[in-house]
Amino acid sequence: MRRDAKKLGRMLRVRSLQLDLARAEQAAAADRASSAAALAARIEALRQDVAPREGTEQGLTLFAAAHYRDRLARSQIEAQKRMQMAHAQLDVAREAATSAKRDHGVVEKLIERELDAQAAAARKALEDAPQNARALARSLLKNG
């Protein structure tokens, strides 16, 4: 089955664009995942800093620390959820990029096969050409 060269060129451009977009989405997802992980780590560090200390005798300070520690614990839970969502989105983006790369490779192989088929058809046409055309083709090949 012969494919139109323009159609294959369009397919390659579309697949290249899809591959670039998938790679960009994968990079953005990786950035979101690392940002979510950094946020979760900062919240955990803050939560540890607000923990009650020994020797503190002021009840109000302990109450405030407990309040902020509770709020930070809730924020930590929310940050963990965001981090899990970001990692899930990163996995989806990686799969999309892999799929786009595979599709791009398929189109490149189709183009390569079409070029091989055209070269084989040209060789066959030269073989089937009359004797004087073969001599002309050989001389063109030798002289460049």
Side-chain angles (χ1 to χ4, degrees):
M1 172 168 71
R2 297 191 48 96
R3 299 194 190 287
D4 184 36
K6 287 183 180 180
K7 182 178 179 181
L8 287 174
R10 282 191 307 269
M11 286 174 59
L12 182 63
R13 283 191 301 275
V14 168
R15 294 301 183 187
S16 295
L17 180 62
Q18 287 175 338
L19 178 59
D20 291 343
L21 289 173
R23 285 180 175 162
E25 177 58 31
Q26 181 181 1
D31 186 47
R32 286 190 302 268
S34 66
S35 176
L39 176 65
R42 285 194 305 268
I43 290 173
E44 178 60 26
L46 284 173
R47 194 172 68 83
Q48 293 300 324
D49 286 344
V50 176
R53 308 261 192 277
E54 281 189 40
T56 306
E57 298 175 5
Q58 298 173 341
L60 188 58
T61 305
L62 286 174
F63 177 75
H67 172 73
Y68 286 119
R69 185 172 167 86
D70 181 56
R71 288 189 62 191
L72 285 170
R74 283 187 263 141
S75 295
Q76 176 68 17
I77 291 168
E78 194 61 37
Q80 290 293 334
K81 287 178 185 176
R82 285 183 187 168
M83 191 172 65
Q84 289 172 349
M85 279 182 33
H87 282 290
Q89 289 173 347
L90 178 59
D91 291 340
V92 169
R94 282 181 180 149
E95 289 173 16
T98 302
S99 176
K101 186 176 180 181
R102 185 175 42 249
D103 291 346
H104 186 266
V106 166
V107 173
E108 286 178 335
K109 287 179 184 177
L110 285 173
I111 290 172
E112 187 177 311
R113 286 181 190 159
E114 180 62 25
L115 291 174
D116 288 345
Q118 288 175 357
R123 280 192 303 272
K124 179 71 172 148
L126 279 176
E127 289 173 1
D128 294 344
Q131 191 64 27
N132 56 359
R134 278 194 222 162
L136 177 64
R138 283 191 195 117
S139 69
L140 288 174
L141 287 174
K142 287 181 184 176
N143 296 331

